Amino acid sequence: MQTLSKNQQIIFDLIDKSPEPMKAYSILHNVQKKGIKAPLQVYRALDKLVEIGKIHKIESRNAFIACHNSSCQVSKATAFSICEICEKVTEISSASLSKYLTNFKDKDGMKYSKYNLEFFGLCKKCR
Amino acid sequence: MQTLSKNQQIIFDLIDKSPEPMKAYSILHNVQKKGIKAPLQVYRALDKLVEIGKIHKIESRNAFIACHNSSCQVSKATAFSICEICEKVTEISSASLSKYLTNFKDKDGMKYSKYNLEFFGLCKKCR
DNA sequence: TTACATAATGTTATATTATAACAATTTAAT
DNA sequence: ATTAAATTGTTATAATATAACATTATGTAA
Ligand SMILES: [Zn+2]
Ligand SMILES: [Zn+2]
Ligand SMILES: [Zn+2]
Ligand SMILES: [Zn+2]
């Protein structure tokens, strides 16, 4: 549990409080009053936060959410559900899923050190 | 098996022949001699080809590969392995994996209509 | 085969996402 | 105190993707 730098903390707090994934330039707009003025300052903080597992990138949406799943060790194994109507994103925390994927071997017997899984469908509200 | 339009066929052929995933602007450069001059022409063909399942988008790389897996019905269920050194991408065709993920239900019992899974590791050559 | 709807194309402009390059400052460990 | 590593600040630019509008081609049904 390392301490975050000033920019990292500001940006993490913002993402952590957001009910939905946040995009980089939306983050930028929200932190300009706190002195973070340039895209690069945002992207650098995002890179670090992803690296240490505090946030995840939703690749299909180019957006970021805070990790609320202590079992996904440093972002090596991530799974999300995404509603195709309202765009609600939830991190999936399933021991059996992560066990299955962590142990998955392909045809050549290769095991992978990392994965990202994105499920799509309709959330409760949108069904 | 529908017939492709002119632009769609040109762009599919290029991607299909490529040994590696192709990015949109690399595609554009490669088809300019064939009269496709604008990004939008490329993106429109890519959108359609993805929609009908002839190609897939590798979300973490913003790149496209041809589908060589008849069992992934119209791109609703895709899985790839990605080498983090040489960026080689392979479509994974595993009946047990697709069965597991297609039947996966989250905590609320929700089933998903679609998923995309990207595994990361080192390919044979790079290990 | 005309009429109509749908799909695809062509074109210009612009929006969105992300990194390069370089200088300065802060932090943490000797 | 010295030094290395990490972080910050700043400007410019690269890479990825869509909006808006006009035109042309294709398929379907009276
Ligand atoms: Zn997580
Ligand atoms: Zn929803
Ligand atoms: Zn496929
Ligand atoms: Zn490799």
Side-chain angles (χ1 to χ4, degrees):
Chain A
M1 205 56 165
Q2 71 181 272
T3 87
L4 301 179
S5 74
K6 179 169 130 281
N7 288 2
Q8 289 160 13
Q9 189 70 57
I10 290 169
I11 288 173
F12 174 73
D13 288 344
L14 179 67
I15 297 172
D16 193 38
K17 275 183 313 205
S18 171
E20 64 217 12
M22 294 198 72
K23 306 196 132 212
Y25 277 73
S26 159
I27 292 168
L28 177 59
H29 294 138
N30 275 276
V31 297
Q32 280 180 329
K33 52 198 162 216
K34 302 214 170 171
I36 296 175
K37 290 173 192 157
L40 198 44
Q41 293 174 291
V42 172
Y43 280 104
R44 284 196 284 224
L46 290 174
D47 284 351
K48 191 68 186 185
L49 290 167
V50 166
E51 184 191 324
I52 65 179
K54 300 282 287 182
I55 65 172
H56 301 302
K57 182 172 186 181
I58 310 301
E59 294 286 356
S60 65
R61 299 298 186 260
N62 297 318
F64 300 84
I65 64 172
C67 175
H68 291 299
N69 178 0
S70 58
S71 77
C72 64
Q73 318 109 308
V74 195
S75 308
K76 291 286 183 267
T78 51
F80 306 94
S81 78
I82 302 172
C83 174
E84 290 188 294
I85 292 182
C86 74
E87 292 290 325
K88 177 178 162 64
V89 174
T90 309
E91 185 166 4
I92 293 173
S93 159
S94 160
S96 76
L97 177 64
S98 67
K99 187 176 170 190
Y100 184 90
L101 292 176
T102 301
N103 292 322
F104 178 77
K105 287 180 192 152
D106 71 13
K107 277 171 174 160
D108 302 328
M110 173 161 174
K111 269 191 67 178
Y112 297 97
S113 55
K114 193 175 158 188
Y115 67 78
N116 180 58
L117 171 59
E118 297 179 8
F119 279 112
F120 304 90
L122 303 184
C123 77
K124 266 183 181 167
K125 216 187 62 186
C126 293
R127 235 169 314 156
Chain B
M1 204 60 164
Q2 70 181 272
T3 85
L4 301 179
S5 74
K6 180 170 129 282
N7 288 2
Q8 289 159 14
Q9 189 69 58
I10 290 169
I11 288 172
F12 175 73
D13 287 344
L14 179 66
I15 297 171
D16 193 39
K17 277 183 311 203
S18 172
E20 64 218 11
M22 292 198 74
K23 306 196 132 211
Y25 277 72
S26 159
I27 292 167
L28 177 59
H29 293 139
N30 275 278
V31 296
Q32 280 181 327
K33 52 199 162 213
K34 302 213 169 171
I36 297 175
K37 291 174 191 156
L40 198 44
Q41 294 174 290
V42 172
Y43 280 104
R44 283 196 287 224
L46 290 173
D47 284 351
K48 191 68 188 188
L49 291 168
V50 166
E51 185 192 323
I52 64 180
K54 300 282 287 179
I55 65 172
H56 302 304
K57 182 173 186 181
I58 310 300
E59 293 286 358
S60 65
R61 298 299 186 260
N62 298 318
F64 300 84
I65 65 172
C67 176
H68 291 299
N69 178 2
S70 58
S71 77
C72 63
Q73 318 109 310
V74 196
S75 308
K76 292 285 182 267
T78 51
F80 306 95
S81 76
I82 302 172
C83 175
E84 291 189 294
I85 291 182
C86 74
E87 293 290 324
K88 177 180 164 63
V89 174
T90 309
E91 185 166 4
I92 293 174
S93 158
S94 160
S96 76
L97 176 65
S98 68
K99 187 176 170 192
Y100 184 90
L101 292 177
T102 300
N103 292 322
F104 178 78
K105 287 180 190 149
D106 71 13
K107 278 170 173 157
D108 302 327
M110 171 164 175
K111 268 193 65 177
Y112 298 97
S113 55
K114 192 174 157 189
Y115 67 78
N116 179 57
L117 170 59
E118 298 180 7
F119 280 111
F120 304 92
L122 303 185
C123 77
K124 265 184 182 168
K125 216 186 62 187
C126 293
R127 238 167 310 154

